[in-house]
Amino acid sequence: MIYQYWNERMETLPRAELEAYQLEQLKKIVAVALRTPFYQKRLGEAGIHDADDIRSLADIRRVPFTTKHDLRDGFPYGFLSVPKDEVIRLHASSGTTGTPTTIYFNKEDIARWTNFVARSIYATGCNKTDVFQNMITYGLFTGGLGFHFGGEAVGMLVIPSGAGNTTRQFKLMQDFGTTVVHATPSFLLHVEAKMREEGVMRESLALKRAFAGAEPYSEDTRRRIEALLHIDVYNSYGLSEMNGPGVAFECQTKDGLHIWEDGYIAEIVNPDTLEPVPDGEVGELVLTCLCREASPILRYRTRDLTGFYTEPCSCGRTHRRLRRITGRTDDMLIINGVNLFPSQIEEVIMSIKEVGNNYLIVVEKEGVLDRLTVKTEVGLGIFMDDTRPLNALKERIRKTLQSMITINPRVELHESGSLPVSEGKAKRVQDNRPKDV
Ligand code: AMP
Ligand code: ZN
């Protein structure tokens, strides 16, 4: 196979040079971070008062971890390290309510991020002759605009179709000869099912590739999508705290995701001890963003479980590869690509006074999509045979949840005291989706 590189020198930089570059960038970003009160305090406590206190890459282990909790505490501007008028965009983590985690970009940050997305897209074999339909949510979620600008930088014709509405997606694909799409793996499976349902002939489409990410999926699911749609599927990993997409991406060997180490420092730690795991073992991914000045984030605990491949890739890139992400170390659920913490649901339903004390969150597969059901008990004094007020209550819960979590749940009401109560730690989530990772 002939591999194409967006920036051959950077992508194939010998490890020693790559690490020297990382050290230089780390020092720069530590200096930037020291402008924020949060890092001034945190780094100061660790004895880091100045960029020169970082002398080697190993010194990154002296930098304290940053968590989602820290980011929420710092909302809205606690992590901003440039004057506000230099900021040209913000993004926020998907599906969060209450206090979101927000990141800011200046002009150079956007250019650097776009470059990493373009590099990722190019690594899959795409070029300016491609027509790219971005079937993912635009808006605060980074997958929309991130891929949009990356696709334009490659020179592809970008169709900002957004997620959903499969019939319209087919029409766009046919009208403009779409060759590559970006979507969640569950939406790709949904697209395939709809194709059959609506009698859309595969031959009427010019589709060759898909970028699939934003949620975990297995190698089997990849193969299934590839076989059903006759395309190549590339795994795309990113998170808003690290800009969004373009953090780690598969090359044409489709065997692990190259993490762009000139933009990010990746560590894998044991989630309990927070010590590094032996090379190749699975643990929690910790990332330091080297390429964003407006809101620096150092040693971010992603909660994502993965490990490094120890062998170099046959494509010639020297940037290490991550294994497919298999799960998380916290209770965050990903429902059709939208992140959701059970506590967000609890917050909403417990604010409704007619709702009783016990509830259960059930996630299952309905066809190829995820389905969220929220079962709650009603408060004492509410009678189950009085259907009119019950239906109104159900609808109110559903609407409030939908507006807060951006997912439309099914709501079930149960009599007070009828939902199972576990002894010990309450088990509030039943994730019945098949575990095929
Ligand atoms: P967000 O910040 O909303 O973009 O969500 C980021 C999270 O989505 C990550 O921390 C992962 O848990 C998940 N995610 C993104 N891409 C993938 C992928 N390719 N495989 C598994 N999980 C992913
Ligand atoms: Zn490779």
Side-chain angles (χ1 to χ4, degrees), residues 93-94 141 214-216 235-240 304 325 328 334 339:
S93 189
S94 63
F141 175 55
E215 63 187 13
N235 197 350
S236 153
Y237 171 78
L239 58 160
S240 38
D304 290 320
I325 280 96
R328 295 186 50 94
I334 303 185
N339 300 353

Side-chain angles (χ1 to χ4, degrees), residues 14-163:
R15 289 293 311 174
E17 280 178 58
L18 184 54
E19 285 171 17
Y21 180 83
Q22 282 188 309
L23 174 59
E24 198 184 298
Q25 297 303 308
L26 176 62
K27 290 176 75 146
K28 275 194 200 160
I29 208 70
V30 163
V32 169
L34 280 166
R35 292 186 215 142
T36 67
F38 173 83
Y39 281 119
Q40 227 168 55
K41 180 162 181 290
R42 277 286 173 90
L43 292 171
E45 283 162 3
I48 303 167
H49 304 282
D50 176 293
D52 284 334
D53 288 328
I54 302 285
R55 291 182 197 89
S56 70
L57 257 193
D59 275 347
I60 195 167
R61 290 185 52 197
R62 291 176 49 212
V63 173
F65 294 100
T66 304
T67 63
K68 212 174 188 86
H69 192 81
D70 294 326
L71 299 182
R72 289 203 172 124
D73 275 354
F75 181 82
Y77 292 120
F79 283 77
L80 189 68
S81 61
V82 297
K84 230 189 275 177
D85 62 1
E86 275 183 29
V87 172
I88 62 164
R89 200 194 301 164
L90 65 79
H91 277 286
S93 189
S94 63
T96 44
T97 178
T99 316
T101 58
T102 313
I103 45 156
Y104 303 94
F105 299 82
N106 65 19
K107 210 168 173 182
E108 292 74 34
D109 296 336
I110 293 284
R112 282 186 285 258
W113 176 27
T114 300
N115 188 56
F116 284 116
V117 181
R119 183 195 283 182
S120 307
I121 291 174
Y122 204 69
T124 67
C126 289
N127 61 41
K128 68 192 283 290
T129 63
D130 278 290
V131 177
F132 171 44
Q133 196 162 318
N134 197 13
M135 305 196 296
I136 207 115
T137 318
Y138 277 65
L140 287 176
F141 175 55
T142 53
L145 290 179
F147 265 93
H148 186 98
F149 283 97
E152 285 188 357
V154 169
M156 307 195 287
L157 167 58
V158 183
I159 308 175
S161 64

